[in-house]
Amino acid sequence: MEVPRTRLQVRLLTPPTDIAWGNTYIAVALGVKGFYLVEPKKGKVEKTVDVPAYNLLWINDDLVVGSSSRVIIFNNVLKVKKEFEVQSDVNALTYSDGKVIAAGNGWVSILPLNRSIEMETIQVGLNVTAVAAKKGIIVAGTMEGRLLVIDEGRITWSTELGSPIFGLSWGPYLVVGTNNGKVFKVVNYERLNLEEIATLGGVNDLKWSPKGDEFAVADNVDKSLTFFSVDGKIVAREYFKSIPIKLDYSPTVTEVAVILESGELVTIGTPKVINILKSIVEESKCEERAKILCKALEKALWEIITELGNDVPIDDFLTLRNLGPKLLYALPCLLKHLDVVKKILKDLMSMEDIVEALKDGCDNFEKWLDSVSKNSLCIKKVSNLLIDLMELSPSDLLPAQIPTSVALVEKFGCEKALEIMECVFALALLLKDLKKYEDDLGIKLPNLTEMVLYVLLKDNCEELLSRLKEIAEIKEKVESLINEGRIVEVFDMLEEAKRISEDLKNVITTELPDGFVGI
C-alpha cells in the first residue's frame, strides 16, 4: 500500500525566502518581515522576529541570520550573541571549520566564531547566489553562471556553467545545480572538473542529507522535490502545486522541509523513511480490517518517528514489524507513554527492547516501564556489566540467550543483580583463561553461555567461581610439580581437575533446560 509522503503542511502569512531545520524549531526566513520559528511536530508558529532575514543557518542551537548588510547570530533564547557587518544584503550562508561563510553581490566573507581571528572579505565581482565550504576551500555559485573556487583568500579557479547557480551542497562530493536544470558532480576541486549527473526542469536549491546517503533537489519547473542516491540515481520524486523555493533536512534525517512559492511550508518523508513506514504498516495487516485503520497507523507512526528520531537509528524502527497485527493495539499504548519511552531509549533500552515489552499487552508494558523507570540507574549499571561481558568474549556468548538488564533487576533486585553480574564477570575472566589450558590439563569445561545461564538460573556464581579457582590452583601446582619431576602427584592433581570439570559439566547438563546446553 502507498504511504503519503507529506506529514506537515503550514500556511505562512508571508512568502518565505529560506528555511533551516534545527534541533528544536524550523526557522523560516520572510525577507524584510523577519523570520518565524515553527514547532516541527504540529506546525505551530511559536516565535516571530522582525529583523530582516534572507538566509538562515543553524549551528547547534544558535541561529545564523543573513540580514540587510549584517549577519546576526542568535542564541537559543533569541538573544543576539554575535553580529557582523557585511557589504550588502546576504544571499547565501554556510558553515565550515568554526567559520560562517556569508556571500552577496560582489563579495564573500569569512566570519570566524573565534573572536581572536579577524573577519576576511574576498571581492569576487559577481553576484553570489550559493556557497559551500570544506576543509578551507570555499566554492561559490553566481547569478552570472560562474562557479568559483576560493582558497587562502583568493579565487584560484573558476568555470562557466551558462546558467545561474542556485544549488551548492558538499557531502561525499560537491553537488552543483543550475537554473536550467543541470545537476553536476565535482570530481576534481583543483581544476573544477564537473560531471553532469542529471537534467531536471530547473534547480532552485539542493541539499545533501546530513548522513551523506542521498541528496534532494528542488525543481522550479516540474514543481517537484527529487531525491538522488549517493551514486547520482533518482530514487523518488514528490510533486507540488506550487514551485519549491528552498529545502532543508531534519536533524533526524527522516524528513525534508520545503517552502513553496505559494507561501506554504511542507515536510516530506525521505524515501528510506517512507519505505520503512510502508513495511511496518503492511506487516500490521490493517487493510484486512479496514483501510481507515492504516491511515491511523501511518499518523501514529509519524508521531513516534518524529518524537524518537533523535534517539533511535531510523532502521531500528523496523523492529515494530515484529508486532504484526498486534501493532494496532500496541501503538496507542506506545504513544500514551512516549515521554517515558524517550527517556529510557537515551540511556537504557533499544527499540527492540520496547517492542518485546509491547508484545505482552499494554498492562504488562506499563508495569515494565514503571520498573525500568524506578530502577533506571541500577539497570544502567547492570547493562554496562553485560556489555563488558559481551565484549570480553563476543565469540563465546550468545546474546539472544542472556537475560536483559531489566529482566535481571526484576528477578534479583538491584543490589543482588549487580552482585551477580560482578561475580559473573570474574567467572568469565577466569574461564576464558582456563579454556586455553584444557588440552594441557586433559579437561573439558562448560562454555561461557552455559555457565552464565546456569548461574542466573541457580544464583550460585560464587560456588562455580570457587570450583574454577580450584582448577586454576591445580594448574599452577602442576607446573611446579613437573619442574620437580614429581610425576605421581602430577597425575593425581590432573585426575582431580578432570573430576571437577566433569562435575561442572554434569551439573549444568542436568539443570539447564533442553536447548540451552552445548550451544
Side-chain angles (χ1 to χ4, degrees):
M1 65 172 297
E2 288 300 314
V3 174
R5 284 188 176 277
T6 303
R7 180 186 66 83
L8 185 69
Q9 287 183 289
V10 181
R11 169 66 68 178
L12 304 170
L13 298 178
T14 303
T17 60
D18 198 13
I19 189 166
W21 198 327
N23 294 326
T24 306
Y25 296 109
I26 300 173
V28 182
L30 307 170
V32 294
K33 293 191 176 181
F35 63 89
Y36 290 150
L37 293 185
V38 180
E39 190 281 316
K41 294 169 191 171
K42 304 296 183 183
K44 181 182 177 184
V45 176
E46 296 277 354
K47 298 176 183 178
T48 304
V49 180
D50 60 5
V51 173
Y54 306 110
N55 298 96
L56 300 167
L57 172 71
W58 288 100
I59 304 174
N60 298 321
D61 290 325
D62 292 341
L63 181 63
V64 183
V65 176
S67 188
S68 299
S69 301
R70 290 186 298 164
V71 173
I72 308 167
I73 301 177
F74 293 89
N75 66 12
N76 61 345
V77 291
L78 292 181
K79 299 293 183 183
V80 175
K81 188 174 179 178
K82 192 172 286 194
E83 190 170 342
F84 299 89
E85 287 190 14
V86 291
Q87 291 185 2
S88 61
D89 290 353
V90 179
N91 292 340
L93 288 170
T94 192
Y95 173 78
S96 178
D97 300 324
K99 302 178 184 72
V100 173
I101 291 83
N105 192 353
W107 56 272
V108 173
S109 288
I110 302 169
L111 316 175
L113 300 185
N114 186 337
R115 292 181 183 275
S116 65
I117 303 173
E118 291 293 320
M119 168 181 161
E120 181 183 4
T121 297
I122 301 99
Q123 304 299 327
V124 297
L126 298 168
N127 190 2
V128 180
T129 49
V131 285
K134 196 171 189 178
K135 295 181 179 178
I137 298 174
I138 299 170
V139 178
T142 70
M143 182 66 74
E144 295 80 3
R146 290 203 72 83
L147 191 65
L148 315 174
V149 174
I150 300 169
D151 192 9
E152 296 184 352
R154 64 187 183 88
I155 298 172
T156 57
W157 197 258
S158 72
T159 190
E160 176 65 50
L161 297 185
S163 180
I165 299 164
F166 292 143
L168 272 180
S169 186
W170 219 322
Y173 51 83
L174 181 68
V175 181
V176 184
T178 61
N179 190 49
N180 64 359
K182 303 290 185 183
V183 179
F184 298 95
K185 169 183 178 179
V186 178
V187 293
N188 183 314
Y189 301 110
E190 292 182 359
R191 287 288 180 260
L192 274 183
N193 292 335
L194 280 79
E195 174 188 323
E196 186 178 328
I197 56 177
T199 301
L200 304 176
V203 176
N204 256 356
D205 193 17
L206 57 78
K207 289 268 174 51
W208 273 102
S209 149
K211 289 185 178 178
D213 58 347
E214 67 179 32
F215 62 91
V217 180
D219 189 325
N220 58 27
V221 174
D222 292 339
K223 299 178 183 178
S224 66
L225 185 69
T226 304
F227 292 92
F228 288 81
S229 64
V230 73
D231 59 357
K233 307 296 183 185
I234 294 175
V235 293
R237 182 173 277 153
E238 180 75 9
Y239 291 93
F240 307 104
K241 292 180 180 178
S242 180
I243 293 172
I245 300 171
K246 293 283 186 177
L247 66 97
D248 198 18
Y249 276 86
S250 68
T252 58
V253 202
T254 55
E255 297 175 82
V256 174
V258 184
I259 47 173
L260 305 177
E261 193 178 62
S262 59
E264 280 185 292
L265 159 66
V266 298
T267 64
I268 305 295
T270 62
K272 188 171 189 176
V273 168
I274 295 303
N275 288 336
I276 287 171
L277 287 176
K278 183 178 178 181
S279 176
I280 295 169
V281 171
E282 285 177 349
E283 205 66 32
S284 75
K285 311 294 183 188
C286 57
E287 281 194 326
E288 296 177 8
R289 297 282 301 279
K291 285 189 176 181
I292 200 167
L293 280 175
C294 298
K295 292 183 178 179
L297 275 183
E298 291 161 12
K299 186 176 176 61
L301 285 166
W302 262 127
E303 188 171 345
I304 289 165
I305 289 174
T306 301
E307 189 66 37
L308 303 181
N310 280 323
D311 305 303
V312 179
I314 188 62
D315 287 330
D316 288 6
F317 286 104
L318 281 169
T319 58
L320 288 167
R321 293 183 305 180
N322 298 337
L323 290 166
K326 288 182 180 179
L327 198 67
L328 296 167
Y329 309 100
L331 284 196
C333 185
L334 181 55
L335 283 170
K336 181 181 175 183
H337 301 287
L338 214 48
D339 288 342
V340 179
V341 169
K342 187 174 183 178
K343 288 177 183 176
I344 67 172
L345 277 170
K346 285 185 177 179
D347 298 312
L348 298 173
M349 301 289 112
S350 67
M351 200 64 197
E352 188 175 358
D353 296 320
I354 301 296
V355 168
E356 284 301 310
L358 281 166
K359 287 179 179 179
D360 295 327
C362 198
D363 288 345
N364 288 324
F365 179 70
E366 288 172 346
K367 291 175 184 175
W368 179 83
L369 267 186
D370 185 56
S371 175
V372 171
S373 299
K374 286 178 179 177
N375 298 292
S376 59
L377 185 59
C378 181
I379 289 169
K380 179 67 174 175
K381 290 178 180 177
V382 173
S383 180
N384 287 338
L385 284 168
L386 279 170
I387 291 169
D388 290 343
L389 184 65
M390 297 297 178
E391 290 177 351
L392 177 67
S393 296
S395 61
D396 299 328
L397 278 170
L398 293 181
Q401 293 194 346
I402 305 300
T404 64
S405 53
V406 177
L408 290 172
V409 172
E410 284 181 335
K411 179 176 179 179
F412 297 110
C414 179
E415 290 185 11
K416 186 67 175 176
L418 282 170
E419 180 186 313
I420 289 172
M421 283 309 303
E422 286 167 358
C423 179
V424 164
F425 190 75
L427 183 143
L429 276 172
L430 186 52
L431 181 63
K432 184 176 183 180
D433 183 60
L434 289 175
K435 279 283 186 179
K436 301 173 188 174
Y437 302 99
E438 282 184 319
D439 290 341
D440 290 348
L441 297 173
I443 63 174
K444 183 66 178 175
L445 292 165
N447 65 42
L448 184 54
T449 301
E450 291 172 339
M451 293 199 81
V452 170
L453 288 171
Y454 179 71
V455 166
L456 298 179
L457 181 69
K458 292 296 183 178
D459 182 18
N460 62 347
C461 180
E462 292 294 344
E463 180 185 334
L464 263 64
L465 185 57
S466 69
R467 304 310 303 274
L468 289 182
K469 285 179 178 178
E470 287 179 43
I471 296 176
E473 288 172 5
I474 289 172
K475 179 181 79 70
E476 295 298 324
K477 289 178 181 178
V478 163
E479 289 173 352
S480 175
L481 291 170
I482 288 173
N483 291 333
E484 296 172 13
R486 296 157 68 177
I487 305 300
V488 175
E489 291 174 66
V490 169
F491 180 80
D492 291 342
M493 299 206 83
L494 290 177
E495 284 296 304
E496 177 63 11
K498 185 176 181 181
R499 183 189 64 76
I500 295 171
S501 66
E502 287 177 348
D503 284 349
L504 285 173
K505 194 77 176 173
N506 290 335
V507 167
I508 289 174
T509 303
T510 304
E511 296 291 340
L512 280 181
D514 291 343
F516 286 87
V517 179
I519 33 190

